[in-house]
């Protein structure tokens, strides 16, 4: 469920992104081979090209070149002599030629551009160094500037701050901080802040999505499980409750709020981890409970105390159940054992829970796309639906009209939204890459869901559903940092799960559900595999920037040097 993050060599880009040379750019190249008539094979970045020589160059040597013209024929100017093995001397000579002070910060930055084979020009470099020198975290700033140069963004403060905020914080963090300050503000009752709080509430508060009541009414086991997790009232009876569901679904929708506790639906988010806790409890206390019930005697006091402590911490508290008082007698112990076994053994729970969470995710994704303002400027340009009600429009007004902490937090969230926009879509005639962030809180997750999508376009310029790649970046409560890499080829889907925990026992029961769901929409599950995801590799991907093969395709040009 995750996007523009890529795990370097572990998750290479679906396609190579073309890079053309522009006037003024500086790039390092190597003379590979000399040919008759003053021609040579020159390697620029990862591509080799035939060039017409107008200077005396040596085979095997590296040179710094500057693009002089990028019209019909590209002209390259050699900057200085052939590069030696003394990298520091080469770097100092280049900095001197460009009129840039040879400070350690400047040297490190230019060296990083050359090592990553990122073309740059003199004016770009001067503006980037100004931003770099003013940054508190220069390592992070360097990554942001690399990305700006790769994507040909203008080297401007506003774009730099947007991408920096996108890199250094999370969507939920920024929304939560502004929501807190807006609620605390003495002027929180004005119209603008009321609209702001309404938009933030949509992103932060759990949705009141009604589950599939019909499925519960048709499955007594599922009904009892919903009672166990407090979603259905404890005093409800299966037949009576089912009849009320039929009445509600036939038109009496007002009764739905009495049939299910919508506030308790978030218990389904954590049901998998709760079930694991219950398995652990039954393994430890199951025999003692069964013996006590069979013999109609209480548990030993120390065993009962230990049992209740485990149940309270690992079952009742996650379910937000504060009213369960268990007495140490056989009847109460039998009731407790039955409830624990229902939690563990329900066969219909997985399908029900997965569908419910899928519905929540789909609604939250639509909410982000429709209400955050990712298409704000486009909507204004084309006079589409009024974008004034979007979160971005409200933030723009708030930054101009407020002061103090709320203005500071609004400005940070505005930068973050701008960063989301800048990284939301990258498109060529043949390919599209999209990124979407979904705030975590509604999904019961620790961190935001980030989704990357890469797809080919067909001859009509429409995304081809037969060929694409989707990458989800997750941070889950039990199995922690996880990447799901999904490839689609001719409607056959292969999944790779990257996670440092043993997942085979978790994956196998879910594969049949996945396969069945995909077949309903005419896709075929071809394989599911699991590989370790080393922490340092995931941390490296947190840079959120794509460097793989960005400069590899100089196509259809001749060069005169």
């Amino acid at each position: 469920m995750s996007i523009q993050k890529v795990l370097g060599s572990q998750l290479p880009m679906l396609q190579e992104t073309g890079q053309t040379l522009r006037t003024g750019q500086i790039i390092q190249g190597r003379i590979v081979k000399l040919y008759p008539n003053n021609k040579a094979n020159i390697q620029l970045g990862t591509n080799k090209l035939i060039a017409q020589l107008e200077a005396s160059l040596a085979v095997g040597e590296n040179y710094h070149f500057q693009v002089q013209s990028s019209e019909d024929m590209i002209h390259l100017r050699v900057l200085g002599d052939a590069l030696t093995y003394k990298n520091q001397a080469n770097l100092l000579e280049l900095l001197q030629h460009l009129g840039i002070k040879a400070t350690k910060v400047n040297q490190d930055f230019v060296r990083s551009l050359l090592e990553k084979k990122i073309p740059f020009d003199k004016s770009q470099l001067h503006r980037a160094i100004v931003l770099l020198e003013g940054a508190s975290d220069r390592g992070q700033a360097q990554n942001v500037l690399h990305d700006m140069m790769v994507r040909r963004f203008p080297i401007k403060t506003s774009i730099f701050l947007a991408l920096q905020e996108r890199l250094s914080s999370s969507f939920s963090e920024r929304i939560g901080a502004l929501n807190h300050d807006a609620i605390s503000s003495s002027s929180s009752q004005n119209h603008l802040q009321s609209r702001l709080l309404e938009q933030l509430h949509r992103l932060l508060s759990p949705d009141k999505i009604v589950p599939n009541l019909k499925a519960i009414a048709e499955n007594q086991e599922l009904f009892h499980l919903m009672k166990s997790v407090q979603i259905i009232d404890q005093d409800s009876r299966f037949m009576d409750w089912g009849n009320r569901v039929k009445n509600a679904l036939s038109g009496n929708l007002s009764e739905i709020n009495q049939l299910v506790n919508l506030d308790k639906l978030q218990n389904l988010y954590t049901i998998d981890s709760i079930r694991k806790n219950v398995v652990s409890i039954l393994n430890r206390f199951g025999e003692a409970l069964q013996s006590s019930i069979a013999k109609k005697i209480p548990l030993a006091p120390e065993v009962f105390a230990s049992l209740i402590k485990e149940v309270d911490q690992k079952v009742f508290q996650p379910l937000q159940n504060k009213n369960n008082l268990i007495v140490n007698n056989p009847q109460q112990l039998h009731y407790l054992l039955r409830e624990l076994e229902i939690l563990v053994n329900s066969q219909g729970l997985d399908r029900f829970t997965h569908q419910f969470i899928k519905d929540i995710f789909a609604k939250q994704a639509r909410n982000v796309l429709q209400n955050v303002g990712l298409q704000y400027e486009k909507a204004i340009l084309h006079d589409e639906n009024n974008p004034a009600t979007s979160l971005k429009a409200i933030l723009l007004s708030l930054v101009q009209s407020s002061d103090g902490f709320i203005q500071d937090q609004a400005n940070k969230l505005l930068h973050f939204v701008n960063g989301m926009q800048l990284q939301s879509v990258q498109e060529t005639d043949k390919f599209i890459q999209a990124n979407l962030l979904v705030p975590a809180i509604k999904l019961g997750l620790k961190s935001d869901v980030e989704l990357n999508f890469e797809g080919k376009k067909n001859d009509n310029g429409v995304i081809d559903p037969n060929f694409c790649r989707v990458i989800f970046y997750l941070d889950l409560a039990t199995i922690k940092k996880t990447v799901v890499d999904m490839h689609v080829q001719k409607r056959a889907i292969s999944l790779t799960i990257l996670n440092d925990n043993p997942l085979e026992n978790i994956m196998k029961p879910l594969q049949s559900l996945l396969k069945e769901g995909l077949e309903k929409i005419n896709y075929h599950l071809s394989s599911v595999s699991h590989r370790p995801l080393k922490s340092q590799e995931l941390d490296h991907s947190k840079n959120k920037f794509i460097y793989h093969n960005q400069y590899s395709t100089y196509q259809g040009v001749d060069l005169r040097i």
Side-chain angles (χ1 to χ4, degrees), residues 355-403:
Q355 182 61 47
F356 175 74
I357 294 177
K358 172 184 161 185
D359 292 342
I360 292 286
F361 174 76
K363 184 171 182 180
Q364 180 72 320
R366 286 194 297 269
N367 185 23
V368 171
L369 292 170
Q370 293 170 1
N371 296 316
V372 169
L374 298 180
Q375 299 290 319
Y376 177 76
E377 288 78 9
K378 178 177 178 290
I380 292 176
L381 180 64
H382 297 286
D383 195 26
E384 296 175 355
N385 294 333
N386 182 9
T389 58
S390 69
L391 177 61
K392 179 168 182 176
I394 296 170
L395 291 172
L396 286 168
S397 299
L398 198 61
V399 167
Q400 296 170 4
S401 63
S402 63
D403 53 23

Side-chain angles (χ1 to χ4, degrees), residues 317-366:
Q317 289 183 23
L319 290 175
Q320 301 177 345
N321 185 355
K322 301 176 181 178
N323 301 317
N324 268 285
L325 178 62
I326 305 297
V327 179
N328 189 10
N329 64 52
Q331 183 178 358
Q332 286 281 299
L333 294 176
H334 181 266
Y335 171 78
L336 175 62
L337 179 61
R338 186 189 67 180
E339 293 298 302
L340 294 177
E341 288 177 339
I342 287 173
L343 279 170
V344 171
N345 297 321
S346 175
Q347 299 299 313
L349 178 64
D350 287 334
R351 295 175 187 274
F352 183 87
T353 302
H354 295 156
Q355 182 61 47
F356 175 74
I357 294 177
K358 172 184 161 185
D359 292 342
I360 292 286
F361 174 76
K363 184 171 182 180
Q364 180 72 320
R366 286 194 297 269

Side-chain angles (χ1 to χ4, degrees), residues 79-120:
L79 301 180
D81 298 326
L83 304 181
T84 68
Y85 290 105
K86 298 178 181 179
N87 292 330
Q88 184 66 16
N90 297 330
L91 187 60
L92 293 174
E93 181 183 352
L94 179 60
L95 290 173
Q96 183 180 9
H97 181 86
L98 297 173
I100 293 173
K101 292 181 180 179
T103 64
K104 185 179 185 303
V105 172
N106 294 350
Q107 290 182 56
D108 288 344
F109 182 58
V110 175
R111 184 185 295 111
S112 70
L113 293 175
L114 295 172
E115 288 175 350
K116 293 180 181 293
K117 298 181 174 61
I118 301 176
F120 60 90

Side-chain angles (χ1 to χ4, degrees), residues 228-245:
S228 296
V229 296
Q230 315 291 309
I231 291 172
I232 295 176
D233 185 79
Q234 295 290 306
D235 296 329
S236 298
R237 295 184 178 183
F238 180 62
M239 292 298 296
D240 293 339
W241 190 88
N243 290 331
R244 292 176 65 192
V245 166

